[in-house]
Amino acid sequence: MGATRIPGNITQGSTAKGGIGESTLRPDGTLKVTGEFAYSSDMWHEDMLWGFTLRSPHAHAEIKSIDTSEALAQAGVYAVLTYDDLPTDVKNYGLEIQDTPVLAHGRVRHHGEPVALVAADHPETARRAAAKIKVEYVQLPVVHDEQTALAEDAPLLHPGRDDHHAGHVPHPNVVHRQPIHRGDVAAARARADVIVSGEYVVGMQDQAFLGPESGLAVPAEDGGVDLYIATQWLHSDLRQIAPVLGLPPEKVRMTLSGVGGAFGGREDLSMQIHACLLALRTGKPVKIVYNRFESFFGHVHRHPAKLWYEHGATKDGKLTHMRCRIVLDGGAYASASPAVVGNASSLSVGPYVIDDVEIEAVALYTNNPPCGAMRGFGAVQACFAYEAQMDKLAAELGMDPVEFRRLNAMSQGTLLPTGQVVDSPAPVAELLRRIKAMPLPPERQWETAGESADVRALPGGLSNTTHGEGVVRGVGYAVGIKNVGFSEGFDDYSTARVRLEVVGGEPVAVVHTAMAEVGQGGVTVHAQIARTELGVTQVTIHPADTQVGSAGSTSASRQTYVTGGAVKNTCEAVREKVLELGRARFGSYHPAWATAELLLESGKVVTDGGEVLADLVEVLEGEAIDLELEWRHRPTEAFDLHTGQGNGHVQYSFAAHRAVVEVDTELGLVKVVELACAQDVGRALNPLSVVGQIQGGTTQGLGLAVMEEIVVSKEAKVRNPSFTDYLIPTILDTPTIPVDVLELADEHAPYGLRGIGEAPTLSSTPAVVSAIRAATGLALNRVPVRPEHLTGT
């Protein structure tokens, strides 16, 4: 509907230029494209030192002694620190369970664990000095899988652990366990005409962000420290850092620096405490920058998983029951494993109606690399398994796999296995209909009239391995469900500070949050919200730091919902203050102000074509409204540790994919031709950014399907810690990704929006593997799919 002109330079029914609903361009976009953007690794300080971390070459070993004398004697070295040099009794940290040592003490539990720190006047000097540190190790038996972790004589990786998860786990090497029981599975199983089961394996995926860990710690005159860091959660870092340093939180001042991607890998600490310790010891600024090799050891990864599933269905295609067991390898330390278990179990049924279920999910302690948050965590592993099961059931019943899914799709009002009701739109069947209705790409695209084949469009690409011989096409479908926001009773909130004043005769808003901008576009959306709610054109986004209240983590698809909600809420409060000022100055006798007041109260004040509401300027002249408020979404509750019942999640998001692949069946090479997506986003606050998020998540799912895996030996050694051997999709590997955006508003969310970034990562992986199965006829129960899985070699 068109806008209605109202006197006073006010427009009703539209948004301010650059407001909600527009594809406003990113303020940092040009700088990043031209290489002018300052990332954390670009920071510099006069007279700064360089830090380096000595890491364990073993996955499990006792530390008998550490000799640092030769390292300290090297010219240019200012400090060498070990566990014994830590300043307080607090020597561990962790997201949920404080089980991770700042520096190893007594033993190391994974390959690459930090053992000692060096500060020197040059990065190469620091590396050479670290190489002179003599550590005497005695290797211990390695726990590397479920069998070795849960054996009666298994080494206990954390003996005597005492935390809130320990009371209900079957073994001390289990980090967390979550069962879910609902209905009568035995009776439902008896009604099934078809029962299928399968075992599935998901490899360890790396977040593969392009900017390795880096930061700069600067000692302050008050005895504190200023830390400039690339992270996902400033206040969580602060909560873990300050006690180790023995400083009050107000003396550890953190400022977000340029972040080169995250995807969950920056939710845990890496070098934050190490840089601060070295800076405080030397009295000089200390910069630490990991290289790519160090980065693979410096952050957590996606949990590898083994999943067993059983489904039953009647002959007319209705699902009867589901049983599953999900085993996640958490590695040496807990990180986010408890939350990943909660997600994996509560979302293990997928976006389907199944009344009778028996579910168990566990996470293990092993000597493998620590695993934690990664885009779609827990739900990604489950989606690969349950979507493979849907294809199996459809084949057994002789049904179209899309129609079988649509027949069993959940909808608004569906009761989940946890007992929670889906109380917002759940258009699973519609997304599947849309994705199937999209036109397929032409076949044999490599063929050109009268000329040789265009090998770029073939499996193997420019390697020129085939000209179409033995190449078979396959099409596959998948759909997934992902929770939005932190769950299970976590106090998930965000804070926003908004200042409104007149500068140079124009109203200007400043938005200050602690939200970590990691590439998701939050800085763009926050400005759009302020323009919409306050009717101003000029909005400045203050750098994120800990001088404002917490914004929580940039993860769980939550920031637009929660911090966007906080910005909206604070802007509304600022708008109310404007009303109070206006009433005080104008009373009820000023005709223009009466119109402005009416529109302000309705939340529809916006500027028209960049013009300024004159009355607003007059009201604010000489005044500044500055408010900082917290905002919380509706509460959640913990899942019962025996039954799994509970309203554990805030919101759900849904995406469906159709993959078109071509497979060279002789060489086992795969070309993903197209990976189409249909997703419900509630409301697209920035349509361009929405499509970018969907395409990015889709590409990461493609990587897990056919390329990405950290290979860990039985000795728990990482074998491929580099982008030479750990492959990620390049532009040549990325297919066409058409996107169909559906907008069905969630009435419980700000603007009706849904979290977007994670859902496409779920269903893209099983869609690609389903298409490869269709092309080859192979079972393919493991990702990533490798050439040898397709050729039998």
Side-chain angles (χ1 to χ4, degrees):
M1 183 172 66
T4 303
R5 287 285 293 128
I6 296 177
N9 294 329
I10 305 170
T11 315
Q12 184 178 21
S14 67
T15 61
K17 184 178 180 181
I20 291 301
E22 292 189 32
S23 290
T24 305
L25 298 181
R26 299 175 56 100
D28 55 353
T30 300
L31 294 174
K32 288 180 175 177
V33 170
T34 59
E36 299 174 82
F37 185 81
Y39 289 98
S40 59
S41 56
D42 296 318
M43 290 184 297
W44 198 269
H45 198 288
E46 184 180 358
D47 198 31
M48 75 180 186
L49 303 176
W50 294 81
F52 185 76
T53 307
L54 178 70
R55 299 180 181 277
S56 168
H58 306 295
H60 200 199
E62 182 182 354
I63 298 175
K64 301 295 290 184
S65 65
I66 303 178
D67 182 355
T68 63
S69 57
E70 285 190 38
L72 280 167
Q74 181 166 312
V77 171
Y78 282 71
V80 178
L81 303 181
T82 67
Y83 177 91
D84 292 334
D85 297 305
L86 297 179
T88 73
D89 292 335
V90 180
K91 302 178 188 296
N92 285 9
Y93 65 90
L95 275 178
E96 297 189 40
I97 300 171
Q98 285 67 55
D99 63 354
T100 308
V102 173
L103 293 168
H105 175 61
R107 71 163 81 177
V108 292
R109 294 179 176 85
H110 70 91
H111 183 202
E113 180 164 354
V115 175
L117 306 174
V118 177
D121 58 8
H122 190 280
E124 289 307 315
T125 301
R127 291 178 189 277
R128 288 195 297 270
K132 294 181 178 180
I133 299 174
K134 297 177 181 178
V135 184
E136 182 184 356
Y137 295 100
V138 176
Q139 293 194 59
L140 299 171
V142 170
V143 174
H144 65 88
D145 58 12
E146 183 182 13
Q147 182 176 355
T148 54
L150 302 185
E152 287 187 12
D153 59 348
L156 302 185
L157 297 191
H158 296 272
R161 61 183 274 251
D162 180 21
D163 58 72
H164 64 289
H165 297 289
H168 68 285
V169 298
H171 191 283
N173 284 342
V174 173
V175 186
H176 186 47
R177 173 180 178 268
Q178 180 62 67
I180 299 177
H181 301 289
R182 190 167 185 85
D184 187 339
V185 170
R189 195 173 191 272
R191 296 194 302 269
D193 296 306
V194 172
I195 294 176
V196 301
S197 63
E199 294 184 357
Y200 305 94
V201 176
V202 176
M204 183 186 295
Q205 186 181 19
D206 188 66
Q207 293 86 353
F209 40 72
L210 297 186
E213 292 81 354
S214 53
L216 176 67
V218 182
E221 292 182 357
D222 66 354
V225 64
D226 293 285
L227 179 62
Y228 303 88
I229 188 70
T231 182
Q232 288 181 248
W233 192 350
L234 286 165
H235 284 78
S236 177
D237 290 5
L238 175 62
R239 171 180 56 82
Q240 298 170 78
I241 294 169
V244 175
L245 303 180
L247 294 174
E250 60 271 17
K251 285 195 175 184
V252 181
R253 294 167 291 270
M254 300 183 61
T255 301
L256 185 74
S257 300
V259 183
F263 314 114
R266 300 186 199 271
E267 201 166 41
D268 298 76
L269 298 183
S270 55
M271 43 64 61
Q272 287 94 320
I273 296 176
H274 297 166
C276 291
L277 287 169
L278 291 171
L280 292 171
R281 171 61 71 94
T282 62
K284 290 178 174 290
V286 174
K287 178 176 179 178
I288 297 180
V289 180
Y290 288 174
N291 61 28
R292 184 60 58 186
F293 178 87
E294 293 173 288
S295 182
F296 270 93
F297 295 104
H299 64 258
V300 299
H301 314 287
R302 186 186 301 285
H303 289 72
K306 293 186 177 181
L307 310 95
W308 175 85
Y309 266 77
E310 178 188 277
H311 283 85
T314 62
K315 59 185 177 182
D316 58 357
K318 295 294 290 183
L319 290 167
T320 57
H321 73 284
M322 186 274 277
R323 297 192 295 159
C324 76
R325 185 168 190 269
I326 300 171
V327 179
L328 301 159
D329 186 343
Y333 298 107
S335 182
S337 285
V340 176
V341 168
N343 269 17
S345 59
S346 62
L347 302 174
S348 61
V349 168
Y352 304 109
V353 178
I354 309 179
D355 294 327
D356 302 281
V357 300
E358 288 181 0
I359 299 162
E360 181 186 35
V362 299
L364 306 175
Y365 279 124
T366 70
N367 291 120
N368 292 324
C371 292
M374 184 175 172
R375 196 174 197 166
F377 70 4
V380 164
Q381 295 90 327
C383 187
F384 173 63
Y386 64 65
E387 285 302 275
Q389 288 284 103
M390 295 302 104
D391 279 345
K392 278 187 178 182
L393 280 167
E396 284 288 326
L397 293 166
M399 296 181 66
D400 177 89
V402 174
E403 294 310 311
F404 175 74
R405 287 173 168 85
R406 293 187 70 206
L407 178 65
N408 291 285
M410 69 163 53
S411 59
Q412 186 168 354
T414 292
L415 188 68
L416 296 173
T418 58
Q420 184 167 4
V421 175
V422 179
D423 61 356
S424 60
V428 179
E430 174 62 12
L431 293 175
L432 287 163
R433 184 195 68 78
R434 286 174 176 240
I435 204 69
K436 188 175 183 181
M438 294 176 73
L440 287 162
E443 297 209 35
R444 304 182 69 84
Q445 294 186 69
W446 63 84
E447 292 182 339
T448 54
E451 299 180 10
S452 59
D454 183 350
V455 296
R456 292 174 298 178
L458 283 161
L462 293 174
S463 299
N464 200 21
T465 55
T466 180
H467 283 216
E469 308 89 354
V471 174
V472 182
R473 170 170 283 200
V475 179
Y477 296 87
V479 64
I481 176 175
K482 176 66 178 67
N483 65 305
V484 173
F486 292 154
S487 306
E488 299 186 61
F490 187 90
D491 184 17
D492 192 8
Y493 71 94
S494 188
T495 313
R497 182 177 183 180
V498 176
R499 180 181 178 89
L500 182 65
E501 60 187 328
V502 173
V503 178
E506 181 175 3
V508 175
V510 177
V511 177
H512 186 188
T513 76
M515 180 209 69
E517 171 58 58
V518 302
Q520 82 278 16
V523 292
T524 312
V525 171
H526 291 177
Q528 291 179 269
I529 292 171
R531 292 189 191 105
T532 299
E533 297 301 327
L534 297 176
V536 301
T537 300
Q538 297 299 320
V539 179
T540 298
I541 302 298
H542 192 287
D545 56 32
T546 51
Q547 304 309 300
V548 66
S550 177
S553 175
T554 300
S555 60
S557 301
R558 63 178 289 282
Q559 280 293 9
T560 302
Y561 191 129
V562 183
T563 303
V567 173
K568 181 177 185 292
N569 180 58
T570 308
C571 285
E572 289 170 347
V574 168
R575 198 171 64 215
E576 183 59 37
K577 289 290 185 183
V578 173
L579 276 170
E580 292 177 10
L581 282 174
R583 289 166 185 152
R585 289 197 172 183
F586 292 122
S588 57
Y589 301 105
H590 193 293
W593 176 250
T595 302
E597 184 176 26
L598 177 65
L599 294 175
L600 280 165
E601 287 178 334
S602 65
K604 295 178 180 177
V605 168
V606 291
T607 58
D608 181 21
E611 296 179 13
V612 180
L613 176 60
D615 296 318
L616 183 59
V617 173
E618 189 172 347
V619 167
L620 287 171
E621 196 64 56
E623 299 279 354
I625 300 173
D626 195 332
L627 297 177
E628 179 178 328
L629 299 174
E630 292 181 352
W631 185 83
R632 285 169 169 78
H633 54 63
R634 53 186 177 163
T636 60
E637 61 189 27
F639 297 125
D640 184 275
L641 293 177
H642 302 285
T643 66
Q645 301 302 291
N647 293 328
H649 297 305
V650 177
Q651 187 192 56
Y652 299 94
S653 59
F654 306 90
H657 279 88
R658 183 191 66 198
V660 180
V661 306
E662 283 164 352
V663 182
D664 183 336
T665 55
E666 296 175 359
L667 294 179
L669 301 177
V670 176
K671 172 73 174 181
V672 182
V673 176
E674 183 185 83
L675 197 42
C677 181
Q679 182 168 337
D680 174 27
V681 303
R683 183 179 179 189
L685 303 195
N686 186 313
L688 181 63
S689 179
V690 164
V691 171
Q693 283 287 300
I694 293 171
Q695 291 177 331
T698 296
T699 303
Q700 281 194 305
L702 162 68
L704 179 59
V706 294
M707 302 180 76
E708 299 186 44
E709 182 178 13
I710 294 177
V711 178
V712 182
S713 70
K714 288 187 177 181
E715 294 75 36
K717 295 286 191 72
V718 178
R719 301 184 62 183
N720 59 333
S722 76
F723 281 172
T724 301
D725 302 305
Y726 181 93
L727 303 181
I728 60 176
T730 69
I731 191 66
L732 294 177
D733 303 300
T734 304
T736 302
I737 307 177
V739 175
D740 185 355
V741 174
L742 184 62
E743 297 185 69
L744 298 178
D746 178 356
E747 65 180 14
H748 307 286
Y751 302 114
L753 66 83
R754 290 184 192 277
I756 297 166
E758 294 178 288
T761 312
L762 273 65
S763 48
S764 48
T765 299
V768 169
V769 179
S770 177
I772 300 172
R773 291 191 195 104
T776 63
L778 299 172
L780 302 178
N781 290 343
R782 187 191 192 283
V783 287
V785 176
R786 299 178 182 147
E788 59 265 31
H789 300 154
L790 304 178
T791 61
T793 58

